[in-house]
């Protein structure tokens, strides 16, 4: 093995992560639970030229920092049950349910359970 091959296989060792950029999105699949800890309040951003709501979460299964697209139903559940962004720092099991037809639009139901890890 050449010296160049040895050097390219060695991984650098870091002590502290200071900042993460390019955070991946967490996709919630229907009927498959995800376990997340909210690390930021819900913020407003843009997605495909439309207003969208996001929160930063820790994926408790993988340990990754991820962005969660928070739809209106999930946002309402969080804000009604955890006023003043008190859901931040808490861990939840989130299960996306079936698509329901509402008065104007179709929407997904969510089962939101606070858990202790």
């Amino acid at each position: 093995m050449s010296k160049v091959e040895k050097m390219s296989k060695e991984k650098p060792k870091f002590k502290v992560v200071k900042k993460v950029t390019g955070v991946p999105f967490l996709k919630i699949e229907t009927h498959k639970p995800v376990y997340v800890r909210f690390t930021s309040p819900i913020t407003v951003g843009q997605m495909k030229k439309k207003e969208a709501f996001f929160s930063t979460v820790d994926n408790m299964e993988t340990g990754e920092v991820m962005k969660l697209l928070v739809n209106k139903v999930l946002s309402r559940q969080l804000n009604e049950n955890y006023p003043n962004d008190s859901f931040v720092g808490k861990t939840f099991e989130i299960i996306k349910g079936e698509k329901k037809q509402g008065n104007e639009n179709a929407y997904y139901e969510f089962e939101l359970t606070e858990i202790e890890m």
Side-chain angles (χ1 to χ4, degrees):
M1 185 180 292
S2 73
K3 187 176 181 179
V4 174
E5 287 175 324
K6 281 184 183 179
M7 289 177 62
S8 65
K9 290 187 178 187
E10 293 177 18
K11 293 183 180 180
K13 295 177 182 163
F14 300 102
K15 294 186 187 272
V16 177
V17 175
K18 292 187 80 170
K19 186 175 186 177
V20 177
T21 60
V23 179
F25 278 94
L26 175 63
K27 180 172 174 53
I28 301 178
E29 296 177 26
T30 305
H31 300 297
K32 184 179 178 199
V34 295
Y35 301 92
V36 297
R37 178 182 298 127
F38 283 85
T39 58
S40 77
I42 298 169
T43 57
V44 179
Q46 294 285 75
M47 188 169 200
K48 296 182 181 178
K49 299 182 182 180
K50 292 173 92 176
E51 185 177 77
F53 300 93
F54 303 95
S55 183
T56 304
V57 297
D58 290 335
N59 183 331
M60 300 309 288
E61 294 176 291
T62 65
E64 292 177 280
V65 174
M66 303 185 93
K67 283 280 190 195
L68 178 63
L69 180 60
V70 182
N71 74 7
K72 290 179 183 179
V73 174
L74 185 56
S75 176
R76 186 180 68 240
Q77 282 182 275
L78 286 165
N79 289 316
E80 284 177 359
N81 293 293
Y82 299 90
N84 302 316
D85 299 325
S86 61
F87 58 86
V88 175
K90 294 185 179 356
T91 304
F92 295 91
E93 174 189 59
I94 302 173
I95 301 173
K96 183 178 179 180
E98 293 295 323
K99 194 176 220 181
K100 301 284 183 178
Q101 189 61 42
N103 293 339
E104 295 179 23
N105 297 327
Y107 63 94
Y108 286 97
E109 291 185 332
F110 286 87
E111 185 179 320
L112 183 66
T113 306
E114 184 179 351
I115 58 175
E116 195 169 314
M117 292 189 83

